[in-house]
Amino acid sequence: MISLRINNKPVQFDGEPDTPLLWALRDHFKLTGTKYGCGIGQCGSCTVHIDGKARRSCMTTVSNTEGKSVVTIEGLAKGDQLHPVQQAWLEQDVPQCGYCQTGLIMTTVEFLQQHPKPSDEDINANVKNLCRCGTYVRVRKAIHRAAELSAQEK
Amino acid sequence: MRIKNHTSSQTPADLSRRRFIIAGSTITGSLLLGIPLVSVAANGAASNESSRIGFFINILENGDVIIGNAQPEIGQGLRTTLPMLVSEELDISWDKVRIESMPLGIVKTADGYTWKYGGQGVGGSTGLTRNWTFQREVGATGRLMLMQAAAQMWNVPLEQCSTKPGMVVCEPAGKQAGYGELVKLASTLPLPETAPALKPMDQYRIVGKPKHNKEVRDIITGKAKFGSDTQMPGMRYAVILRSPVLNGTVAGFDDSAARAVKGVLDVFPVEGPAPGAPYHILAHGVAVVANSTWAAIKGRKALKVEWSQSPNQDDSSEKFWQQNREMLATQGQVVHDQGDFPTALAAAHSVVKHTYEVPFVSHAPLEPQNCYAWVQDDKAHIIAPTQSPSGASRSANAVTGLDRLDIKVEMSRVGGAFGRRLTTDYVAEVCIISKKTGWPIQLVWTRDDDIRNDFYRPGGTHELIAGLDDKGQVTAWSQRLASGSKYYRRPDMKDEDLWKPELYVDDFPRAMVENFRLEYFHNFIGLPRGSWRGPAHVVNAFVIQSFLDEVAHETGQDPLALRLELLGRIEEQPYGNHGGPTMTPGRLSRLLKFVSERIDYSRPRPKGRGVGIAAHFTFGGYAAHAIEVSVDSKGEFTIERIVAAIDCGFAVNPNAVEAQLQGATIDGLSTALELEITVNEGRVVQKNFNNYPLMKIDRVPALFEAHVMNYDDTPTGVGEIGVPPAAPALTNAIFAATGVRIRKLPIADQLREKMTA
Ligand code: FES
Ligand code: FES
């Protein structure tokens, strides 16, 4: 039995300990906002926060998160109050198919903590998620907008 | 990849026919095919709910309106754009609208099945155009019936009633009522005999205005349900180990280790098609069913399968390209010949000739293929991420034998499609597994499965030849193509028709050049093939738009001027391929001039900087790109600026059109930069994004303009139009900056290699 916190609630996982966190979240905890795109850490669709750090959940087993705190896209907004990054995504109408977007948002949330006023180069160097639909033009705008919104919030 | 179903050209008189049809008449299927059934509650076929008017409109008491959308949502935004059409004519506030996804609707006729509420399926950029008139009529009919209800209730003549958003008003009587109060009565009224007149465009409040996607909030909070997110009571997970060799079969397998994996429930072979036979699924394999995705994947890893010999086990890309070159040295099938090409070429003042290679590529939607199904003795339930719900129904019918009326097909949101989900092999697979086990099954494809089992865009080698007179005018043109046709393994396909999906006769510049010839050679390789966003347009636009640049440079002409001269030769041409019936070259010229001006095309640039342009007509729509690159001495290049423009006639939702143009441009560039599927010893070499590397944000310049330019009042398709010119605009820019011509895609390391050689 593995104990961890997901979206601020203590939970237990009684499946196979070598299960990647991604599949534990999706199959066991029914948190399907975290997506599978590659399983090898390339696409970033599966990005969640583990103890505040953006991590690819396909690359870590659930047993590695024992005692840790995991935040998924479902835990990002505070009730109806969207996170500033989500708010920026909404304003810029970023998604096309939408499949990569939750991972992109989770990546961006942590990225903006490291780079509160990012340049385009910062974005290029750090946001490595894949979007097959090519929403990158709006992603870039939304990241800059999210930085503004986050600054206003502080 | 046109989906044949309803055309939206019905006359108003058709409305009564539609009602007749839904009442269960047995007119022949061909007449019925795709005629949308604007139903009324009077016949009870739509719903018993008194809040509904027909299939698409559900008005709640508080005035909120739920609009049904019957089309797949694959990221093109149709689930927002089509309800805009209904809402406009129904006359409601856009912010009161919610969207509901409708299942596949089919009804049985004397000689087959037909659509219950209009054709369903997206492909060939027809999702909007096929529904443009129909969906507005749905809204207008709903509005008329609400006015009729009000007239009846107030006992006033209908002519005195009109609407403002969400309510009917009768000014002479000083009365008004919200739609929510009227819908109960309206839903009992008979369908009007003729379709009401549609609004003139200048009165549009919703259509033509940029609207945000209605589902963004669900997507960004993780609530949107994609196919792979389906979870049902008692559901098990399945993966299939498919033959790694093209057309391999299972000779034997040892599943003891797989069955020993905790959570694995069952292991059994799945039979694929015979080599050369049409595909119902892509490959032979062994299925592993488990109580979690991870157990299924682990079980599959533990499987030992012995694969049989395959007729394709020696296939390789190297051989394929070599054979293409050998073929091009011979005489092929002349599939179009106009004027006298050989004589004109012999008489030409100058001749330009070059060869281009365009590789096989994979669709690689970010959500791999998957599907949910529960096949029971007398019925089946399917939730499919698909472009073709009727294809899903047919696939399920083919492998279960169930009547299609007993197969319920629902559509999830789709995590990208790009043509991959026009085929429904994954539906057949999951139905086979569910039927065998009796369990509700979610079929999971891993990324490897998805990249190595695809209906790939055909690869080919193109030889282009142009003859010019002494004034530099093109007088003769020929394209000779050796490729693996998309129609490979289509049922009942004749060899002499294999060229048809690879060369579109009416494409530019056939109509502009008097002496013109197309020649085709079919080469064999065991890779499955299919439609990839914009199919052959993407390939041929690269070839033709690159070659035009070469012709211009080699004959001392300006690439833009040469294009404008050719496009200016005729005003309008018949266009017999999908996207016709006509093509107006001037619309391409307009876009070319526009993007060239925006990027300051004629300004001289320093060495290492260059601008490239290209334009193409695809499926009724027009697009052009101008791209500026910088290249350093080692051949590293940076895309500095992109100007893209689309003319889709009339943009119903300019915001969605802009998004599609941005995405299509990036798709075109991403594919040209690094993407290629190769085969070695009968196996697909690429497995995942590490060796099929999609473009990331770092190569997309911050200077990126996407212009949506209306032309008239007729919308054309949008989804594919922006792809074809992107790649040649890039390689033309690279040439302008360096003098290095890229004649083979992907670009990959070619420039580095050439500049450091
Ligand atoms: S699924 Fe984890 S990075 Fe792609
Ligand atoms: S929106 Fe489709 S993959 Fe990013």
Side-chain angles (χ1 to χ4, degrees):
Chain A
M1 191 74 81
I2 294 156
S3 302
L4 66 156
R5 294 181 78 80
I6 298 179
N7 297 333
N8 258 329
K9 279 193 213 80
V11 294
Q12 304 208 307
F13 179 76
D14 57 6
E16 290 302 291
D18 67 345
T19 305
L21 176 61
L22 167 68
W23 297 115
L25 289 172
R26 290 181 52 81
D27 292 2
H28 185 90
F29 295 110
K30 316 276 180 226
L31 293 168
T32 54
T34 303
K35 304 298 186 199
Y36 165 82
C38 70
I40 59 165
Q42 288 276 323
C43 73
S45 307
C46 65
T47 306
V48 298
H49 295 169
I50 302 176
D51 286 348
K53 295 259 179 318
R55 290 284 177 265
R56 306 212 153 165
S57 64
C58 69
M59 299 299 282
T60 186
T61 60
V62 65
S63 60
N64 277 335
T65 57
E66 167 87 56
K68 295 188 175 158
S69 171
V70 174
V71 175
T72 70
I73 189 71
E74 288 89 348
L76 193 61
K78 293 198 184 77
D80 276 349
Q81 170 84 41
L82 293 177
H83 186 280
V85 173
Q86 289 169 312
Q87 185 59 39
W89 247 248
L90 191 72
E91 284 178 22
Q92 297 296 329
D93 199 40
V94 177
Q96 287 186 29
C97 86
Y99 195 77
C100 68
Q101 300 288 332
T102 50
L104 258 163
I105 289 168
M106 296 308 282
T107 301
T108 301
V109 168
E110 196 220 6
F111 167 68
L112 287 177
Q113 285 161 6
Q114 313 291 328
H115 304 83
K117 275 192 193 160
S119 64
D120 283 329
E121 289 67 35
D122 294 332
I123 294 172
N124 291 347
N126 291 283
V127 180
K128 301 280 185 192
N129 298 41
L130 299 177
C131 172
R132 174 66 180 85
C133 298
T135 59
Y136 299 126
V137 182
R138 294 187 183 190
V139 168
R140 189 184 295 280
K141 285 193 187 135
I143 294 175
H144 288 304
R145 176 66 183 139
E148 271 171 35
L149 288 172
S150 302
Q152 283 165 19
E153 225 175 52
K154 274 172 202 151
Chain B
M1 58 196 258
R2 176 175 216 170
I3 290 179
K4 260 211 206 134
N5 35 34
H6 104 263
T7 56
S8 47
S9 57
Q10 296 86 34
T11 59
D14 285 339
L15 265 180
S16 55
R17 156 159 294 180
R18 289 177 202 165
R19 183 175 46 165
F20 181 54
I21 290 159
I22 192 127
S25 107
T26 53
I27 304 173
T28 65
S30 59
L31 267 177
L32 285 185
L33 192 70
I35 295 177
L37 305 170
V38 181
S39 86
V40 282
N43 58 40
S47 162
N48 305 325
E49 290 171 53
S50 55
S51 61
R52 284 187 184 259
I53 304 178
F55 286 108
F56 292 89
I57 300 169
N58 184 0
I59 301 174
L60 308 186
E61 237 166 278
N62 68 0
D64 283 1
V65 182
I66 300 172
I67 295 182
N69 173 56
Q71 303 303 330
E73 173 59 61
I74 56 176
Q76 82 285 47
L78 220 47
R79 227 141 77 172
T80 297
T81 301
L82 295 182
M84 285 170 69
L85 301 174
V86 178
S87 305
E88 181 70 64
E89 293 288 345
L90 186 59
D91 201 8
I92 48 180
S93 296
W94 182 239
D95 56 11
K96 295 249 189 272
V97 173
R98 278 182 286 152
I99 316 296
E100 163 186 270
S101 178
M102 295 159 74
L104 172 68
I106 50 174
V107 290
K108 213 168 194 170
T109 66
D111 52 0
Y113 299 86
T114 190
W115 307 109
K116 188 171 173 186
Y117 30 70
Q120 292 177 269
V122 290
S125 293
T126 58
L128 173 64
T129 49
R130 284 187 294 104
N131 293 291
W132 161 239
T133 304
F134 165 45
Q135 291 282 285
R136 286 182 301 152
E137 279 182 359
V138 165
T141 305
R143 173 175 174 268
L144 177 61
M145 291 170 77
L146 288 159
M147 289 198 295
Q148 285 170 337
Q152 198 171 318
M153 195 169 81
W154 298 327
N155 203 12
V156 298
L158 177 66
E159 297 67 49
Q160 289 184 3
C161 295
S162 63
T163 58
K164 53 188 191 188
M167 57 177 50
V168 178
V169 288
C170 174
E171 270 174 24
K175 285 184 185 295
Q176 61 177 47
Y179 285 177
E181 303 162 52
L182 296 166
V183 67
K184 207 165 181 170
L185 179 55
S187 71
T188 65
L189 298 178
L191 185 74
E193 280 303 318
T194 52
L198 298 175
K199 264 190 190 176
M201 280 185 138
D202 58 7
Q203 287 177 23
Y204 284 168
R205 293 179 299 108
I206 300 168
V207 170
K209 311 287 182 278
K211 295 292 174 200
H212 279 198
N213 190 312
K214 275 278 180 194
E215 295 170 303
V216 171
R217 205 180 176 90
D218 280 353
I219 292 169
I220 63 177
T221 52
K223 291 196 188 86
K225 292 287 176 242
F226 294 81
S228 45
D229 300 335
T230 302
Q231 293 184 331
M232 300 292 266
M235 186 181 94
R236 272 81 165 182
Y237 299 83
V239 294
I240 302 176
L241 181 63
R242 296 175 190 79
S243 170
V245 176
L246 298 163
N247 285 315
T249 52
V250 178
F253 65 96
D254 172 359
D255 62 3
S256 49
R259 285 182 183 271
V261 170
K262 203 169 157 202
V264 169
L265 304 168
D266 204 354
V267 181
F268 49 88
V270 173
E271 203 171 325
Y279 296 103
H280 66 291
I281 62 176
L282 272 168
H284 292 258
V286 179
V288 179
V289 183
N291 60 16
S292 74
T293 308
W294 184 238
I297 291 173
K298 263 172 78 177
R300 181 169 76 170
K301 260 193 212 139
L303 257 182
K304 290 187 195 70
V305 180
E306 196 189 316
W307 304 101
S308 66
Q309 302 268 313
S310 149
N312 297 91
Q313 63 195 17
D314 297 324
D315 282 11
S316 79
S317 299
E318 212 177 305
K319 250 200 260 177
F320 177 78
W321 298 114
Q322 174 64 29
Q323 285 163 352
N324 280 354
R325 283 190 289 273
E326 287 163 13
M327 283 177 162
L328 284 166
T330 65
Q331 166 75 51
Q333 177 191 5
V334 174
V335 299
H336 184 82
D337 209 8
Q338 81 188 24
D340 184 346
F341 173 76
T343 308
L345 194 71
H349 175 79
S350 49
V351 171
V352 181
K353 179 169 156 181
H354 290 292
T355 303
Y356 304 85
E357 275 179 16
V358 185
F360 285 88
V361 294
S362 176
H363 297 85
L366 207 58
E367 179 186 28
Q369 307 315 306
N370 66 82
C371 192
Y372 166 83
W374 189 13
V375 178
Q376 293 170 272
D377 289 343
D378 54 350
K379 62 178 179 200
H381 180 207
I382 291 163
I383 304 174
T386 185
Q387 293 176 258
S388 175
S390 62
S393 161
R394 281 192 300 272
S395 281
N397 161 265
V399 299
T400 64
L402 290 169
D403 189 294
R404 289 182 63 197
L405 291 186
D406 297 323
I407 300 169
K408 181 179 180 194
V409 178
E410 292 182 89
M411 290 179 273
S412 64
R413 217 185 149 76
V414 183
F418 313 104
R420 172 61 180 89
R421 296 186 221 254
L422 286 167
T423 41
T424 46
D425 50 310
Y426 43 86
V427 178
E429 283 182 343
V430 70
C431 285
I432 291 169
I433 296 169
S434 177
K435 188 177 150 97
K436 171 93 171 46
T437 58
W439 294 323
I441 299 285
Q442 173 72 36
L443 173 70
V444 177
W445 285 42
T446 58
R447 175 56 54 195
D448 299 27
D449 297 335
D450 196 81
I451 291 205
R452 305 178 78 188
N453 298 276
D454 194 355
F455 294 90
Y456 304 96
R457 188 183 76 192
T461 307
H462 305 243
E463 184 183 274
L464 275 280
I465 307 166
L468 294 87
D469 65 16
D470 55 358
K471 290 181 223 59
Q473 299 226 324
V474 177
T475 53
W477 182 286
S478 158
Q479 182 173 0
R480 310 177 68 234
L481 168 61
S483 83
S485 166
K486 183 175 99 174
Y487 280 174
Y488 165 70
R489 290 176 82 161
R490 286 263 171 124
D492 308 318
M493 184 48 58
K494 293 198 232 35
D495 281 359
E496 64 262 32
D497 290 335
L498 285 168
W499 66 276
K500 286 187 174 162
E502 308 311 322
L503 293 166
Y504 306 135
V505 169
D506 285 335
D507 268 5
F508 173 84
R510 202 261 314 147
M512 293 80 180
V513 182
E514 211 180 310
N515 306 292
F516 182 92
R517 179 181 276 187
L518 295 174
E519 201 177 319
Y520 189 69
F521 306 80
H522 189 236
N523 195 356
F524 291 90
I525 186 164
L527 283 171
R529 297 141 220 187
S531 299
W532 189 104
R533 195 183 197 178
H537 283 295
V538 184
V539 173
N540 289 318
F542 168 71
V543 170
I544 291 167
Q545 294 293 317
S546 298
F547 183 60
L548 267 183
D549 251 46
E550 302 215 57
V551 170
H553 290 298
E554 286 175 34
T555 58
Q557 306 186 64
D558 174 75
L560 173 62
L562 176 68
R563 283 176 173 81
L564 295 179
E565 185 272 310
L566 276 162
L567 291 166
R569 288 186 187 181
I570 46 175
E571 255 173 39
E572 188 172 85
Q573 67 166 88
Y575 190 88
N577 299 101
H578 173 39
T582 57
M583 196 275 261
T584 307
R587 293 170 73 171
L588 286 176
S589 303
R590 176 176 76 132
L591 297 182
L592 273 171
K593 284 186 215 157
F594 176 82
V595 297
S596 300
E597 256 160 49
R598 291 289 313 175
I599 210 157
D600 206 358
Y601 171 82
S602 45
R603 173 165 54 87
R605 266 108 174 147
K607 194 164 170 276
R609 276 256 176 185
V611 170
I613 52 166
H616 194 74
F617 170 78
T618 304
F619 298 162
Y622 303 77
H625 286 91
I627 293 180
E628 179 162 2
V629 299
S630 65
V631 187
D632 71 14
S633 57
K634 293 195 192 65
E636 299 290 344
F637 69 94
T638 307
I639 301 171
E640 298 285 350
R641 183 169 177 197
I642 297 173
V643 182
I646 185 169
D647 161 2
C648 59
F650 169 72
V652 172
N653 182 1
N655 174 53
V657 178
E658 184 205 68
Q660 284 303 298
L661 180 57
Q662 291 167 335
T665 302
I666 288 168
D667 196 355
L669 297 176
S670 174
T671 309
L673 285 171
E674 302 286 348
L675 302 184
E676 174 176 28
I677 290 294
T678 58
V679 176
N680 192 22
E681 294 179 345
R683 295 160 190 253
V684 172
V685 173
Q686 290 70 27
K687 291 197 172 100
N688 205 318
F689 293 129
N690 52 348
N691 50 17
Y692 197 76
L694 303 181
M695 189 177 182
K696 298 194 178 95
I697 201 169
D698 60 348
R699 296 195 88 163
V700 181
L703 296 176
F704 190 129
E705 302 167 29
H707 299 273
V708 178
M709 299 170 67
N710 281 351
Y711 179 76
D712 54 18
D713 54 9
T714 310
T716 75
V718 168
E720 294 162 278
I721 321 307
V723 185
L730 173 62
T731 52
N732 288 342
I734 288 173
F735 180 85
T738 62
V740 174
R741 175 58 60 182
I742 302 291
R743 298 200 182 94
K744 176 173 152 19
L745 293 180
I747 300 167
D749 287 333
Q750 291 179 74
L751 194 57
R752 264 191 296 272
E753 281 164 10
K754 284 186 183 157
M755 292 189 62
T756 52

